[in-house]
């Protein structure tokens, strides 16, 4: 569990909202404990507080089959994926040379490392812990260090640039991750960090709770990044914002080492941004649930996972939910309380109520899930959150 703020060390936190009532949804190595979104009373950092979980639980999760690493060329058109890689490249190119030593943290399938290599950079290395990603990256010619950022030993060689793009939000122990990256760079080196931008969550039109997933442990504003730099001894070169792949609001920053700590300013905007986002989500989901609350038609919720179980935190309590369905075998058998019912996630093959409406929860997979529903021979009415 996070017993203290990983930025300022303060132990006093205030609950903003509940996120999950049963962390077993993440895998068998997790407990049935709760997860809440909280804010540090001192510095204003917004993060997830887990009743029982630690960094070890998440490390095991990311090594398991429950965790799916994105291959950008598989889920986005090539042009869109390369726009994203070009964005990172343009953000770092003025600070590196063709022979600069570059480390891409948790580089997945090596797409960005390969992108840099194809542009003449000769000393690019990727750090990755998932075996299928390592094998794929190596097959495309990428040099890979196999391991976990928090556990790999620091050898004599250091880097001119360490890239941490959309990884920091996945660490409970972000303090250890930041200090480890700082140790990995030369005194004149840089760290590039890109993270979700909490301030923009409520500004984009996405499905309710789209930006809340149990994998994202931390939430960042510009002030969060400034406070990280102040507390861990960095100088900010720049902080900018960006919409990743036309979908995700991001902040990106380049930092270099500085001497000593500087004073932090309390971040007031992160808590407000999260609160505004939650209120927006509640209003949007209510337009859907009110229909089912009124007609009490049997409702099957399909797709209960790391990004959708938040919807079981009271959203459907007044509806006539008869089943929870997910095709992931590791999630089947996990219990959630919906209204007055204790429901267990079941196999799609167990759907027998032909009159029930199926509501698809994960909008990103709406089309593929609806195709699967029809392949199961189900003729039920199907709806989704968007």
């Amino acid at each position: 569990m996070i017993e203290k703020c990983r930025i300022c060390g303060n132990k006093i936190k205030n609950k903003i909202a509940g996120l999950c009532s049963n962390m077993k949804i993440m895998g068998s190595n997790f407990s049935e404990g709760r997860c809440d979104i909280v804010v540090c009373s001192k510095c204003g950092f917004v993060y997830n507080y887990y009743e029982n979980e630690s960094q070890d639980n998440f490390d095991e999760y990311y090594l398991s089959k429950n965790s799916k690493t994105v291959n950008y060329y598989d889920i986005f058109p090539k042009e869109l994926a390369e726009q994203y890689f070009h964005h990172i490249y343009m953000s770092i190119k003025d600070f590196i040379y063709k022979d600069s030593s570059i480390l891409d943290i948790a580089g997945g399938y090596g797409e960005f490392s390969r992108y840099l290599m194809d542009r003449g950079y000769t000393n690019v290395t990727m750090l990755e812990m998932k075996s299928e990603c390592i094998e794929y990256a190596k097959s495309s010619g990428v040099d890979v260090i196999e391991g976990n950022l928090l556990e790999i030993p620091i050898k004599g060689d250091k880097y001119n640039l360490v890239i941490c793009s959309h990884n920091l939000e996945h660490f409970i122990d972000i303090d250890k991750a930041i200090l480890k990256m700082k140790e990995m760079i030369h005194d004149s080196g840089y760290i590039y960090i890109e993270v979700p931008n909490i301030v923009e969550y409520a500004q984009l039109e996405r499905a309710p709770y789209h930006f809340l997933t149990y994998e994202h442990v931390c939430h960042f504003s510009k002030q969060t990044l400034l406070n990280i730099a102040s507390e861990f001894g960095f100088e900010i070169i720049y902080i900018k914002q960006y919409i990743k792949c036309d979908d995700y609001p991001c902040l990106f920053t380049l930092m270099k080492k500085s001497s000593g700590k500087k004073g932090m300013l309390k971040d007031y905007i992160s808590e407000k941004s999260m609160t505004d986002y939650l209120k927006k989500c509640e209003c949007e989901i209510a337009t859907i649930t009110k229909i089912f609350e009124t007609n009490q038609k049997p409702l099957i919720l399909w797709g209960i996972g790391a990004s959708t179980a938040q919807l079981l935190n009271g959203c459907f309590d007044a509806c006539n939910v008869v089943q929870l369905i997910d095709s992931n075998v590791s999630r089947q058998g996990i219990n959630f309380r919906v209204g007055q019912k204790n429901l267990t996630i079941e196999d799609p093959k167990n759907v027998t109520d032909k009159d029930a409406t199926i509501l698809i929860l994960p909008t990103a997979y709406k089309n593929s899930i609806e195709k699967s529903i029809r392949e199961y021979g189900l003729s039920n009415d199907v709806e989704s959150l968007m």
Side-chain angles (χ1 to χ4, degrees):
M1 67 178 73
I2 301 183
E3 297 180 346
K4 63 180 182 178
C5 173
R6 291 299 200 250
I7 296 180
C8 72
N10 175 46
K11 292 185 178 181
I12 302 174
K13 54 191 172 294
N14 300 315
K15 179 178 174 179
I16 298 175
L19 185 61
C20 180
S21 60
N22 188 347
M23 284 300 295
K24 274 285 184 189
I25 195 69
M26 295 286 286
S28 60
N29 64 304
F30 285 79
S31 75
E32 293 184 352
R34 290 187 55 81
C35 168
D36 295 324
I37 304 171
V38 301
V39 58
C40 172
S41 65
K42 182 180 178 182
C43 73
F45 178 40
V46 172
Y47 60 92
N48 292 352
Y49 173 76
Y50 300 92
E51 186 177 2
N52 300 314
E53 272 56 58
S54 68
Q55 185 67 53
D56 289 341
N57 297 97
F58 280 86
D59 289 345
E60 187 175 341
Y61 165 76
Y62 287 118
L63 284 171
S64 75
K65 292 182 179 179
N66 291 333
S67 168
K68 304 297 182 186
T69 300
V70 167
N71 185 320
Y72 284 94
Y73 290 120
D74 285 346
I75 68 168
F76 296 111
K78 182 179 180 181
E79 181 181 357
L80 195 59
E82 296 205 341
Q83 282 178 10
Y84 170 56
F85 299 147
H86 181 71
H87 142 72
I88 301 177
Y89 171 63
M90 293 301 291
S91 302
I92 62 175
K93 71 178 184 65
D94 292 339
F95 302 90
I96 54 175
Y97 300 96
K98 294 295 184 181
D99 62 349
S100 292
S101 54
I102 301 169
L103 180 66
D104 187 8
I105 301 288
Y109 290 94
E111 306 99 300
F112 183 64
S113 294
R114 184 70 253 178
Y115 184 91
L116 288 176
M117 292 165 63
D118 290 343
R119 277 145 191 80
Y121 291 87
T122 59
N123 195 3
V124 180
T125 307
M126 183 184 90
L127 174 65
E128 179 55 56
M129 59 193 293
K130 287 186 76 78
S131 58
E132 61 267 33
C133 294
I134 292 167
E135 183 179 347
Y136 184 98
K138 285 183 174 180
S139 71
S140 64
V142 176
D143 288 333
V144 182
I145 298 175
E146 301 180 27
N148 182 331
L149 172 65
L150 301 182
E151 296 176 357
I152 60 169
I154 301 294
K155 299 180 181 178
D157 294 338
K158 295 198 174 186
Y159 297 92
N160 300 116
L161 173 67
V162 168
I163 299 168
C164 183
S165 182
H166 293 278
N167 295 308
L168 196 59
E169 65 268 25
H170 294 265
F171 283 98
I172 286 181
D173 296 341
I174 65 163
D175 50 344
K176 295 179 182 178
I178 293 164
L179 289 172
K180 193 65 170 282
M181 289 189 289
K182 185 178 182 181
E183 190 180 356
M184 294 173 114
I185 59 172
H186 291 292
D187 288 342
S188 59
Y190 298 93
I191 296 176
Y192 175 88
I193 294 174
E194 185 164 315
V195 289
N197 181 4
I198 190 174
V199 176
E200 296 296 316
Y201 288 178
Q203 308 309 313
L204 296 181
E205 296 305 318
R206 300 292 184 269
Y209 306 106
H210 176 74
F211 299 118
L212 297 184
T213 165
Y214 312 145
E215 293 184 0
H216 285 190
V217 176
C218 311
H219 302 275
F220 300 85
S221 68
K222 180 179 179 180
Q223 190 61 51
T224 313
L225 294 174
L226 289 170
N227 285 344
I228 285 173
S230 297
E231 184 65 18
F232 295 101
F234 289 99
E235 176 186 340
I236 297 282
I237 306 301
Y238 61 72
I239 300 178
K240 300 178 183 180
Q241 58 186 46
Y242 173 77
I243 303 295
K244 174 187 173 185
C245 297
D246 293 339
D247 179 63
Y248 225 97
C250 305
L251 291 167
F252 60 101
T253 182
L254 193 72
M255 303 181 183
K256 68 177 183 178
K257 292 181 181 179
S258 69
S259 57
K261 295 183 180 181
K262 301 175 183 177
M264 290 193 299
L265 295 176
K266 183 168 182 178
D267 177 2
Y268 291 98
I269 196 168
S270 285
E271 180 179 9
K272 182 181 183 304
S273 297
M274 179 59 75
T275 302
D276 289 347
Y277 179 60
L278 290 168
K279 287 179 180 177
K280 179 183 180 183
C281 292
E282 289 167 6
C283 290
E284 290 176 344
I285 199 72
T287 62
I288 298 169
T289 57
K290 278 186 180 298
I291 298 170
F292 293 100
E293 289 172 8
T294 302
N295 63 28
Q296 286 297 296
K297 184 174 182 179
L299 187 62
I300 297 171
L301 303 182
W302 194 300
I304 314 297
S307 61
T308 57
Q310 156 69 14
L311 294 164
L312 302 183
N313 262 351
C315 293
F316 294 94
D317 281 1
C319 302
N320 182 21
V321 178
V322 295
Q323 276 187 304
L324 306 178
I325 299 294
D326 198 279
S327 61
N328 188 325
V329 175
S330 66
R331 293 174 184 149
Q332 293 165 13
I334 298 174
N335 297 309
F336 283 92
R337 188 168 182 82
V338 182
Q340 300 302 310
K341 300 176 183 177
N342 287 314
L343 298 175
T344 300
I345 299 176
E346 299 181 61
D347 189 298
K349 294 176 183 177
N350 293 344
V351 175
T352 57
D353 190 341
K354 305 295 184 182
D355 295 324
T357 297
I358 295 174
L359 182 63
I360 297 173
L361 299 185
T363 56
Y365 304 102
K366 176 177 66 175
N367 293 337
S368 61
I369 289 176
E370 184 164 6
K371 181 181 178 183
S372 295
I373 289 170
R374 300 311 179 202
E375 288 174 349
Y376 280 110
L378 299 172
S379 57
N380 302 58
D381 290 339
V382 175
E383 297 187 20
S384 68
L385 296 181
M386 284 194 77

